[in-house]
């Protein structure tokens, strides 16, 4: 039950971040990234996996598809989220 609540919370943050990105609200995006960074750094392995799969992955996929403006928002990832993002993109060994 607790995990389902975490999933909903992370998905809500991802949806809010996407909305802010599409509306060009850079400061709001930074604030949301920092919120997720705190959850990531203080959370359990399960929480980190949820953030990785339900926040970073879908968000980064969208931003990479629109790389001309998306890279700006990828570069705003805080340190731990950026490290997790890099781990995802280099995990294929390519």
């Amino acid at each position: 039950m607790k995990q389902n609540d975490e999933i909903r919370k992370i998905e809500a943050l991802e949806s809010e971040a996407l909305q802010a990105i599409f509306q060009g609200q850079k400061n709001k995006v930074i604030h949301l990234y920092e919120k997720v960074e705190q959850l990531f750094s203080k959370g359990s392995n399960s929480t980190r996996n949820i953030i990785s799969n339900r926040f970073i992955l879908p968000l980064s996929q969208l931003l990479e598809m629109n790389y001309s403006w998306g890279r700006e928002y990828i570069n705003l990832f805080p340190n731990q989220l950026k490290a997790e993002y890099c781990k995802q993109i280099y995990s294929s060994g390519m």
Side-chain angles (χ1 to χ4, degrees):
M1 190 64 130
K2 185 179 181 220
Q3 190 173 15
N4 288 337
D5 291 340
E6 283 184 334
I7 291 171
R8 280 193 285 278
K9 184 177 182 179
I10 300 303
E11 287 176 339
L13 287 169
E14 188 250 348
S15 178
E16 196 174 346
L18 282 174
Q19 250 182 343
I21 288 168
F22 288 135
Q23 293 173 357
Q25 299 173 328
K26 198 172 188 179
N27 289 332
K28 185 173 183 178
V29 172
I30 291 169
H31 174 72
L32 292 167
Y33 283 179
E34 289 171 354
K35 247 180 158 174
V36 175
E37 172 92 350
Q38 287 177 352
L39 292 171
F40 189 85
S41 65
K42 294 178 182 177
S44 65
N45 282 338
S46 174
T47 302
R48 289 185 188 119
N49 285 333
I50 292 168
I51 290 171
S52 180
N53 294 322
R54 302 285 179 126
F55 185 86
I56 297 171
L57 183 62
L59 194 64
S60 63
Q61 286 176 334
L62 174 77
L63 295 173
E64 287 172 357
M65 286 184 352
N66 302 295
Y67 198 71
S68 60
W69 58 268
R71 74 169 174 252
E72 175 183 354
Y73 291 99
I74 290 173
N75 290 333
L76 293 176
F77 278 150
N79 290 335
Q80 289 185 351
L81 295 185
K82 189 173 277 193
E84 185 63 27
Y85 164 73
C86 290
K87 192 167 39 169
Q88 285 180 1
I89 61 173
Y90 294 120
S91 68
S92 67
M94 298 176 105

